[in-house]
C-alpha cells in the first residue's frame, strides 16, 4: 500500500518541495494551502506529474476550519503515515521593542498554535494504528536568538520544545518524531518577512549559496524512509558558508 503524507503550507517553499520529493518516492499527497488559486494550480501541477493528490483548503491559524478540513478527509486517505508540519513564517526584523503586534500574533498563531492543532488532530490516529511519523519544520532560529529575530526565534524555540515533548509522549509507541531545523533557504521566506520588499529579501541571500526547499525536502524524505527502529530526532541543516543563525560569510 502506498504511504500517505499530509503537508501543511504546501503551496510554496519547503512545503512544495516536500510534496514533490514525497511524490517521487511514491507517497500519496494530502496538500494544504490557504489560497484557493495557488492550491488548485499546485494540485494540477502535482497530478500532471502522475502523483495522487488530495487538496485541503484551510489556514492552520483557524482552528475550526482546520478541524473541519481534517475531519473531512475521506476514509481512503485517512490513515496518514507522515505529517509534515511545515506551515510557518517570519514577519519583520525589527527590534523587539518596536515589533508589530499583528506580526507577532500571526507568527505565534501559525508557527506554534497551528502546528499544535495539526498535531492534536492527526497524531491520535497514528497512536491508534501504532504507526506514523511527525516531521516538524523548526529552524536554526530556534537554537539562539539573532538581531531582530526575537519573536520568530521564540516560535521556533517553541517548535523544538513541542517536538521534544511529543517525542517523549510517543516513546511508548512506534510513532517517530523529527525536528528539521533549516538555516538560510531561498524561498519566498524573506519576501514574506519583509512584507513584499523583494530587494531587501534578495539581499539576505547575496554572496552566499543558500539552501533550496529541495535540500530540506531530501532530509524529510530521508527521515521518513529510515528503518522503523531509527528515529531521526533532530537535524540542523545550514548553508556551507553559514556558521549559525547569525554568522553568514558572504563572498
Ligand atoms: C529560517 C532561517 O536563519 O532566516 O528559519 O532564521 S533564518
Amino acid at each position: 500500500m502506498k504511504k500517505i503524507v499530509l503537508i501543511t503550507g504546501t503551496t510554496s517553499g519547503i512545503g512544495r518541495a516536500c510534496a514533490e520529493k514525497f511524490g517521487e518516492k511514491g507517497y500519496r499527497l494530502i496538500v494544504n494551502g490557504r489560497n484557493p488559486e495557488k492550491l488548485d494550480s499546485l494540485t494540477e501541477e502535482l497530478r500532471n506529474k502522475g502523483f495522487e493528490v488530495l487538496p485541503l483548503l484551510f489556514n492552520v491559524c483557524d482552528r475550526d476550519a482546520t478541524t473541519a478540513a481534517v475531519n473531512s478527509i475521506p476514509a481512503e486517505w485517512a490513515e496518514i503515515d507522515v505529517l509534515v508540519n511545515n506551515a510557518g513564517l517570519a514577519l519583520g526584523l525589527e527590534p523587539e521593542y518596536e515589533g508589530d503586534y499583528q506580526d507577532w500574533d500571526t507568527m505565534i498563531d501559525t508557527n506554534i498554535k497551528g502546528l499544535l492543532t495539526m498535531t492534536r488532530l492527526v497524531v491520535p490516529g497514528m497512536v491508534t494504528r501504532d504507526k506514523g511519523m511527525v516531521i516538524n519544520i523548526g529552524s536554526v532560529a530556534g537554537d539562539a536568538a539573532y538581531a531582530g529575530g526575537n519573536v520568530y526565534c521564540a516560535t521556533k524555540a517553541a517548535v523544538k520544545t513541542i517536538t521534544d515533548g511529543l517525542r517523549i509522549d510517543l516513546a511508548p509507541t512506534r510513532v517517530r518524531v523529527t525536528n528539521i531545523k533549516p538555516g538560510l533557504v531561498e524561498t519566498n521566506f524573506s519576501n514574506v518577512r519583509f512584507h513584499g520588499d523583494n530587494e531587501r529579501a534578495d539581499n539576505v541571500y547575496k554572496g552566499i549559496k543558500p539552501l533550496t526547499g529541495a535540500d530540506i525536502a531530501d532530509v524529510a524524505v530521508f527521515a521518513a524512509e529510515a528503518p522503523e527502529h531509527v528515529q531521526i530526532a533532530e537535524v540542523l541543516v545550514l548553508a556551507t558558508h553559514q556558521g549559525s543563525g547569525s554568522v553568514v560569510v558572504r563572498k
Side-chain angles (χ1 to χ4, degrees):
M1 254 230 322
K2 278 188 167 187
K3 288 191 200 155
I4 298 172
V5 61
L6 189 165
I7 305 159
T8 62
T10 325
T11 56
S12 62
I14 294 171
R16 172 183 280 261
C18 282
E20 282 166 12
K21 294 282 182 181
F22 277 100
E24 283 162 15
K25 268 280 165 201
Y27 282 67
R28 296 161 75 202
L29 308 170
I30 306 179
V31 298
N32 151 256
R34 59 203 158 106
N35 176 307
E37 289 81 36
K38 282 188 191 169
L39 189 63
D40 281 352
S41 78
L42 172 74
T43 301
E44 196 188 324
E45 216 175 284
L46 293 170
R47 282 183 179 151
N48 286 342
K49 290 187 176 185
F51 305 151
E52 278 181 75
V53 185
L54 176 73
L56 276 190
L57 182 72
F58 63 92
N59 181 342
V60 294
C61 297
D62 182 338
R63 191 164 282 155
D64 290 341
T66 302
T67 304
V70 172
N71 288 341
S72 79
I73 295 173
E76 63 273 23
W77 283 87
E79 299 201 348
I80 295 162
D81 294 283
V82 181
L83 166 65
V84 182
N85 273 318
N86 163 73
L89 78 176
L91 290 170
L93 201 58
E94 287 79 35
E96 190 168 313
Y97 56 88
E98 291 175 355
D100 182 90
Y101 291 131
Q102 186 57 54
D103 283 354
W104 290 354
D105 288 351
T106 304
M107 287 189 281
I108 291 166
D109 287 349
T110 311
N111 302 0
I112 304 177
K113 293 168 74 178
L115 177 145
L116 279 170
T117 303
M118 287 304 299
T119 301
R120 181 69 185 83
L121 290 168
V122 173
V123 172
M126 293 180 175
V127 172
T128 303
R129 294 186 294 280
D130 197 18
K131 185 167 171 276
M133 170 147 208
V134 179
I135 300 175
N136 289 336
I137 304 299
S139 172
V140 65
D143 285 358
Y146 54 75
N150 47 71
V151 175
Y152 174 67
C153 294
T155 65
K156 291 300 185 175
V159 169
K160 176 182 164 48
T161 307
I162 287 164
T163 310
D164 289 346
L166 183 67
R167 192 182 308 109
I168 291 164
D169 294 340
L170 288 170
T173 76
R174 292 194 299 157
V175 181
R176 299 177 296 173
V177 184
T178 299
N179 182 15
I180 300 177
K181 306 187 298 183
L184 283 175
V185 183
E186 189 162 21
T187 60
N188 66 346
F189 175 86
S190 292
N191 309 73
V192 171
R193 164 170 260 174
F194 299 128
H195 298 282
D197 182 341
N198 295 336
E199 203 182 317
R200 195 170 171 203
D202 287 347
N203 282 335
V204 174
Y205 310 106
K206 277 239 168 83
I208 182 168
K209 188 171 166 58
L211 300 163
T212 64
D215 295 326
I216 304 305
D218 279 336
V219 177
V221 170
F222 178 84
E225 290 292 300
E228 207 183 79
H229 68 286
V230 178
Q231 177 168 228
I232 311 287
E234 194 171 293
V235 189
L236 174 65
V237 191
L238 300 177
T240 299
H241 295 296
Q242 178 174 23
S244 72
S246 48
V247 175
V248 175
V249 178
R250 298 176 196 277
K251 303 197 175 187

